[in-house]
């Protein structure tokens, strides 16, 4: 590379706009169909575990007994398998991004509401 070409390129870099984005200092552009992160409406979850069984990244852990649902966002590859198989449609991918992975926790944990009381058995007719 000649001296002239090198000087020209160096000046262009000094004067020109930055070649990279300032994310996360400046928010990234969100597109309507961007797959940003996984969200759940825990109140609608029935803890069937289908999402966990279909997750190719083993990112979801569901406990029916404890009524909990959690996703490890460092494992999640935003493939939407869990969204497609959920029978209660309580999972969705939203076009927003989580904060930097330098800011734990990396696991999003949800504790569902207590189970509704079981219906009382009818008294036997005498
Ligand atoms: S598939 Fe849906 S209803 Fe079943 S555990 Fe997962 S989120 Fe809950
Ligand atoms: S989006 Fe894909 S990788 Fe992420 S939790 Fe759902 S099934 Fe697993």
């Amino acid at each position: 590379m000649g001296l002239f070409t090198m000087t020209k390129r160096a000046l262009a870099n000094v004067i020109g706009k930055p070649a990279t984005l300032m994310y996360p200092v400046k928010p990234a552009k969100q597109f309507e169909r961007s797959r940003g992160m996984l969200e759940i409406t825990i109140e609608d979850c029935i803890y069937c575990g289908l999402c966990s069984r279909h997750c190719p990244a083993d990112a979801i852990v569901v406990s029916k007994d404890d009524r909990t649902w959690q996703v490890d966002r460092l494992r999640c590859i935003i493939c939407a398998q869990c969204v497609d198989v959920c029978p209660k449609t309580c999972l969705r991918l939203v076009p927003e991004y989580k904060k930097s992975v330098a800011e734990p926790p990396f696991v999003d944990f949800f504790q569902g509401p207590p189970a509704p009381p079981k219906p009382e058995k009818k008294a036997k007719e005498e």
Side-chain angles (χ1 to χ4, degrees), residues 27-104:
K29 187 176 179 183
Q30 310 287 349
F31 298 92
E32 189 186 338
R33 295 194 173 216
S34 299
R35 290 179 173 187
M37 64 173 175
L38 182 62
E39 280 191 349
I40 184 171
T41 304
I42 192 66
E43 294 78 13
D44 295 339
C45 179
I46 55 171
Y47 312 98
C48 64
L50 270 178
C51 53
S52 175
R53 289 198 290 281
H54 281 80
C55 176
D58 280 339
I60 299 177
V61 177
V62 183
S63 170
K64 194 172 185 122
D65 293 341
D66 299 334
R67 301 179 69 78
T68 59
W69 184 97
Q70 64 187 62
V71 61
D72 184 336
R73 60 188 167 93
L74 290 187
R75 295 188 72 100
C76 176
I77 55 172
I78 317 288
C79 68
Q81 278 278 356
C82 53
V83 177
D84 292 343
V85 298
C86 177
K88 299 297 285 183
T89 59
C90 55
L91 294 174
R92 64 201 162 275
L93 290 176
V94 294
E96 286 172 30
Y97 300 103
K98 276 279 181 186
K99 287 181 185 170
S100 161
V101 292
E103 297 177 37

